[in-house]
């Protein structure tokens, strides 16, 4: 297939491009580089021996998106492009709704105009909100607690309405749990701007001496050791999930929702210990207050993806930590060094 990947130079997008190219698909990539670096593209080429056709463009720009569809015989779209910081979304809701929701509306309108009706959408476990029983199945109630999460819920709703209006569409809504890790080569990985908001990049930056200590956000949750429990998933497993989802939507029209996680939760302190084991570096930490909006526990039931997509996550936390560490230690300044 010829696949248009939006947000292709971002963390998950880059790993997915590698897996798509390795599987023999052609990739057309679009990104406005709002949260990624163009150097990613040469790393993708280095890993796969293949080029993606890259457009530096904003999906909000209808003319540019039209041009991309006009110049390439796109079979399907994998849509990663979005802003993803929860605190930023609270501070700047208009920017988030505009970029994520309007960007997707624009993309889908151009898809329809060019007769492309297959889309894999990056949704998030964050659409579930906090107060439900674990593990989360796809039919759990949706109750996102911040503007970022609400953009994902809205886009899911929009794509359902699009399918209802035209049953020729083929849509996969993928709800990712907590992506971590990096390509095992150490050549591509997560390169956040500024202070990382997520646990794993914070840990790796402490490990390379960029940050002094990890602050654990609360040890008084109702979990075994009191710290938050999450379903961490290796980014390469996540990437292969997209290939399976593409196969599913290429097989025929419909709309399908899948959790992509391992089904196992680990606490913050378990992650710290696993990272120390994998890297041999000790991670100084102190216990701080809870972060507003944090749930005690979140992990999924991945059965639906296993039975319908024949996909399952195969990489455990040791591999996640080892690969995160390889990436960070070999690229202490991320992609900056070229
Ligand atoms: P990322 O920020 O690394 O990648 C997103 C990419 O989209 C960036 O390269 C950014 O420059 C680009 N982008 C943003 N707005 C754009 C626009 N208007 N036009 C063109 N490009 C644009 O984030 P990621 O972690 O790779 O996440 C990819 C997707 O997965 C996002 O939709 C995110 O919401 C979703 N997601 C991420 C996580 C996570 O924890 N990383 C979890 C669940 C869901
Ligand atoms: C994991 C655990 C923290 C940082 C977020 C978004 C969600 C999704 C994935 C996109 C929690 C604890 C963290 C730190 C800590 N993104 N922690 N110290 O909050 O599960 O999900 O990323 O869709 O929308 O909300 O992930 O990595 O931020 O936190 O103690 O410095 O680590 O409290 O228990 P989270 P996270």
């Amino acid at each position: 297939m010829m696949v248009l990947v939006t947000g292709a130079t971002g963390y998950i997008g880059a790993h997915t491009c590698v897996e798509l190219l390795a599987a023999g698909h052609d990739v057309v990539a679009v990104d406005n580089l709002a949260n990624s670096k163009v150097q990613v593209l040469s790393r993708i080429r280095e890993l796969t021996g293949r080029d993606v056709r890259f457009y530096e463009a904003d999906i909000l720009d209808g003319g540019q998106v039209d041009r991309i569809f006009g110049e390439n015989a796109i079979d399907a779209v994998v849509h990663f492009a979005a802003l993803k910081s929860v605190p930023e979304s609270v501070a700047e809701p208009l920017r988030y709704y505009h970029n994520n929701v309007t960007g997707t509306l624009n993309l889908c309108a151009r898809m329809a105009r060019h007769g492309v009706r297959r889309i894999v959408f990056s949704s998030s476990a964050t659409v579930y909100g906090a107060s439900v029983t674990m593990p989360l199945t796809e039919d759990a109630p949706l109750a996102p607690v911040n503007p970022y999460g609400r953009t994902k819920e809205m886009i899911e709703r929009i794509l359902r309405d699009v399918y209802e209006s035209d049953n020729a569409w083929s849509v996969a809504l993928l709800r990712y749990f907590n992506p971590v890790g990096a390509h095992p080569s150490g050549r591509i990985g997560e390169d956040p701007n500024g202070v990382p908001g997520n646990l794993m990049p914070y840990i790796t930056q402490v490990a390379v001496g960029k940050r002094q200590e990890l602050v654990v956000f609360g040890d008084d949750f109702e979990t075994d050791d009191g710290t938050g429990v999450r379903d961490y998933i290796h980014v390469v497993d996540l990437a292969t999930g997209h290939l399976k989802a593409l196969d599913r939507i290429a097989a025929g029209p419909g709309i399908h929702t899948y959790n992509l996680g391992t089904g196992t939760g680990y606490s913050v302190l378990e992650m710290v210990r696993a990272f120390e084991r994998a890297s041999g570096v000790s991670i100084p930490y102190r216990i701080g207050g809870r972060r507003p909006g944090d749930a005690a526990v979140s992990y999924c039931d991945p059965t639906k993806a296993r039975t319908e997509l024949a996909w399952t996550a195969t990489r455990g936390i040791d591999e996640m930590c080892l690969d995160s560490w390889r990436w960070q230690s070999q690229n202490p300044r991320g992609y900056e060094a070229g």
Side-chain angles (χ1 to χ4, degrees):
M1 281 193 269
M2 182 171 288
V3 183
L4 174 63
V5 180
T6 76
T9 44
Y11 171 46
I12 307 169
H15 288 83
T16 304
C17 286
V18 167
E19 299 305 317
L20 285 167
L21 292 165
H25 296 293
D26 293 316
V27 174
V28 177
V30 57
D31 204 298
N32 64 359
L33 303 178
N35 196 39
S36 54
K37 312 249 168 37
V38 75
Q39 289 92 321
V40 175
L41 294 169
S42 57
R43 305 276 181 106
I44 294 173
R45 186 180 315 117
E46 177 192 313
L47 290 175
T48 61
R50 299 188 58 200
D51 276 317
V52 302
R53 182 165 191 187
F54 180 63
Y55 291 84
E56 183 180 338
D58 197 308
I59 59 162
L60 287 163
D61 181 338
Q64 294 259 40
V65 178
D66 251 340
R67 197 181 125 219
I68 296 170
F69 282 105
E71 290 179 1
N72 303 279
I74 305 292
D75 296 301
V77 177
V78 180
H79 177 32
F80 294 107
L83 297 171
K84 66 162 181 179
S85 156
V86 169
E88 219 173 65
S89 81
V90 173
E92 299 175 79
L94 294 177
R95 186 158 80 93
Y96 267 66
Y97 285 113
H98 183 57
N99 190 77
N100 294 3
V101 180
T102 312
T104 305
L105 290 175
N106 195 39
L107 175 70
C108 291
R110 310 290 153 162
M111 286 175 66
R113 183 180 293 176
H114 292 269
V116 181
R117 293 190 184 79
R118 294 185 187 128
I119 184 167
V120 177
F121 171 62
S122 299
S123 189
S124 168
T126 200
V127 296
Y128 290 121
S131 58
V132 275
T133 43
M134 298 294 145
L136 290 156
T137 52
E138 288 80 356
D139 55 7
L142 304 189
V145 296
N146 53 64
Y148 164 71
R150 284 190 275 272
T151 70
K152 294 293 174 185
E153 184 195 30
M154 276 178 198
I155 296 165
E156 285 198 8
R157 167 52 52 206
I158 289 165
L159 290 171
R160 282 182 210 288
D161 287 341
V162 168
Y163 174 73
E164 288 308 319
S165 74
D166 178 356
N167 289 173
W169 278 76
S170 201
V171 181
L173 308 173
L174 303 184
R175 295 179 182 154
Y176 315 153
F177 278 69
N178 288 62
V180 296
H183 192 271
S185 63
R187 297 300 288 159
I188 56 172
E190 188 169 12
D191 183 17
N193 288 329
V195 182
N198 294 115
L199 179 64
M200 182 60 91
Y202 204 100
I203 290 177
T204 61
Q205 291 197 4
V206 171
V208 287
K210 210 165 158 179
R211 318 255 159 223
Q212 250 183 345
E213 61 176 7
L214 171 73
V215 180
V216 175
F217 297 146
D219 68 348
D220 57 352
F221 288 101
E222 287 195 6
T223 62
D224 286 349
D225 64 18
T227 67
V229 168
R230 296 290 183 274
D231 187 338
Y232 296 94
I233 172 166
H234 196 293
V235 66
V236 175
D237 279 330
L238 200 56
T240 63
H242 291 73
L243 272 68
K244 296 288 191 177
L246 274 173
D247 289 345
R248 177 82 165 99
I249 63 169
I255 182 158
H256 315 280
T257 308
Y258 299 106
N259 286 334
L260 296 186
T262 64
T264 305
Y266 291 100
S267 74
V268 176
L269 294 180
E270 283 175 316
M271 288 305 280
V272 169
R273 280 192 291 271
F275 185 85
E276 290 181 331
R277 257 194 330 268
S279 65
V281 179
S282 89
I283 302 297
Y285 69 84
R286 70 177 165 85
I287 307 295
R290 289 188 186 191
R291 186 170 63 178
D294 266 358
V297 181
S298 168
Y299 61 93
C300 78
D301 178 345
T303 307
K304 193 174 174 216
R306 187 173 68 237
T307 52
E308 293 187 17
L309 299 180
W311 172 88
T312 187
T314 60
R315 294 158 179 88
I317 51 166
D318 294 339
E319 209 169 336
M320 297 178 205
C321 291
L322 198 61
D323 291 338
S324 291
W325 174 235
R326 189 179 298 106
W327 156 252
Q328 182 73 77
S329 56
Q330 291 180 5
N331 306 269
R333 292 189 297 128
Y335 291 106
E336 230 173 72

